[in-house]
Amino acid sequence: YEAVGYLGVALWVAIESVIIPIPSELILPFAGFLAAQPDSIEPITGAPWSIPLLVVAATIGSLAGALVAYAIGYWGGRPVLVRWGRYLRFTEQDLDRTERFFDRWGAWASFLGRMVPVVRSLVSFGAGVGRMHLGPFILFTVLGSIPWNLFLVLAGYLLGENWLSITDFLKRYEYLILAILVVVALGWVWLRFVRPWL
């Protein structure tokens, strides 16, 4: 960050948005921590770090990464995602969950999915596979990314030197989301396959 400032924030968030394992739960709280330090200077502007500019940079990065993931889903489709997904650290089951989420919520998935761990990065692939119109995808991606990015930057700002503790909190949140997804999936299997045989 001392070398590339806001550009680095945007780049790291873009990379994370394509599921490369650089979690925004570490990137953005640290940026917020820097904004809380009055003597910490952002190198591009030569001014102290700004929370609004951090959120703008992170949102631009989120959109850039989401567009790459969308293009992969759109042009490569499900076969490419299934074949190469393991290198991006997601499984076919992750893709199935994302597609169900996208089928249920449609365009709103691009908004809601940005605030749901696990689904957050995968939803762009689902939007591409589902051939979602690009205009609404961009709009909902930006609108959904802003609150998530603002939350993480503010968390780092408020937590100060304890900014790393946000990761533990979000891990518990992620486990809760995964547990809910598992319960929903089991309920669907029960209603669809098991119950008709009883």
Side-chain angles (χ1 to χ4, degrees), residues 12 17 22 36 42-43 46 56 74-75 83 110 127 135 157-158 161 180 189 191-192:
W12 285 122
S17 295
I22 305 168
E42 194 277 332
V56 168
Y74 189 92
W75 297 108
R83 180 174 179 188
S110 291
Y157 183 88
L158 296 172
E161 292 183 1
I180 290 170
V189 168
L191 292 173
R192 184 70 184 253

Side-chain angles (χ1 to χ4, degrees), residues 91-150:
T91 65
E92 188 170 359
Q93 290 74 25
D94 293 329
L95 185 58
D96 290 338
R97 282 193 298 270
T98 303
E99 286 179 340
R100 285 195 298 272
F101 184 82
F102 192 82
D103 288 341
R104 177 176 174 83
W105 295 101
W108 283 98
S110 291
F111 174 74
L112 298 171
R114 300 294 157 197
M115 294 173 272
V116 180
V118 180
V119 174
R120 182 163 46 89
S121 296
L122 294 171
V123 74
S124 300
F125 293 105
V129 170
R131 299 291 201 266
M132 180 179 177
H133 292 293
L134 195 56
F137 173 75
I138 290 172
L139 175 66
F140 282 104
T141 296
V142 168
L143 293 178
S145 297
I146 289 171
W148 178 259
N149 294 333
L150 179 60

